[in-house]
Amino acid sequence: MIYLDNNATTKVHPEVFEAMEPFLKDEFGNPSTGYDLGKNSNEAVTQARNQVAQLINSKAEEIIFTSCGTESDNTAIFSALKNNSEKRHIVTTSVEHSAIILFAQSMMPDIEITELPVNNDGLIELNDLRDAIREDTALVTIMWANNETGICQDIYEAAKITHAKNSLFHTDAVNAVGKISIDVSKGPIDFLSISGHKFHAPKGVGALFVRAGAPFSPFFIGGGQENGKRAGTEAVAQVIGLGTAAELAKNRLLSGGEEKLAILRDRLENNIISSIDGVQQNGCPKHRLPNTSHLSFENIDAGDLLILTNEKGLCIASGSACSTGKREPSRIMTAMGHNDQRALSSVRLSVSSMNNEEEIDNASKIIISCVEKLRSLNPTDGGPVIFG
Ligand code: PLP
């Protein structure tokens, strides 16, 4: 099996598993208790908080552990609206994850939402952001990197624009953290969402960075865990997994991790583009995650391609969703102005530091042969004729 869907989730790193294991066995103490067993858990959670903080250059006390990226996103929006009952407006983008869009929409009609459009490259215009922020804007929330295309927005600049207009700034950095270097001291970011399973920690653990001094209201209320900012007994083993994964990611980034990912991604992309015609890369080639390639294949239905590549043991993704037997184009591709045909023929290839060149070359061969096979079966319009 070759796994090239690392924006969906990643494999738990062996060192992460090793660090977690004792806390799933004998080290089962509740970190809030006073005896040694509990203190061991507490100390391990403190260490994990430091490790996550170091990954984004924040202070340890600015990190709250959560259950996932979705909870972090929901919390940031909830908190910004709860804190200021006068401000009932949110600015976001048309390409956010549903953890942002659907949660914000769930608060309508009490709040208004402005969705900034993206251009053909998948980028917002910063002037649109300047124009969209109003006196009653409680929060601007803009994703750092799009999960589908990998396109990265200029988050430091967006945060500066937002603060100059007296609004709070949140970024969903779930698909960026661990892949590119992030430094929260470079811009006035108030909230930043993290999810462990995107960088080799287990699923079901995340974090929310809350800048010291930023107004904050907890989403989970109960015991006083996380300094009163997120109630619930800490998921100690998961948190330790997140901390360990953060330290490993930091070390990778310090030793040229971004370039190493880009070398694998570019090799994959070049192998494919140099071997077959009618392949288009989607989104700005410069402002994208180093691990992500989003390609459209003329006269190919991405759903059919995924069925064939899966049969050959290759895991890749398409943005299209299948509803009532008909494939719907990805809303991200539509927001970027691409027509249905280009959207329905697009796939996402996302590598990680656990991939190697041999896998990349084998994956390229599989994709090329599957595209050629589909084109030979359906040389004209690319509709889903055989595999549905
Ligand atoms: N935001 C982005 C950009 C994502 O890619 C994801 C996961 O796919 C999420 C939020 C949700 O994260 P989680 O799966 O940890 O809830």
Side-chain angles (χ1 to χ4, degrees), residues 7-8 68-70 73 97 99 143 145 147 172 174-175 195 197-198:
N7 285 10
C68 59
T70 300
D73 284 347
H97 191 270
M143 74 195 324
N147 40 302
D172 174 348
V174 163
N175 245 305
S195 176
H197 73 98
K198 305 292 183 178

Side-chain angles (χ1 to χ4, degrees), residues 54-57 245-255:
Q54 278 162 22
L55 180 58
I56 59 167
N57 197 24
E247 184 171 329
L248 293 171
K250 175 93 192 168
N251 291 341
R252 280 197 302 274
L253 290 168
L254 288 174
S255 57

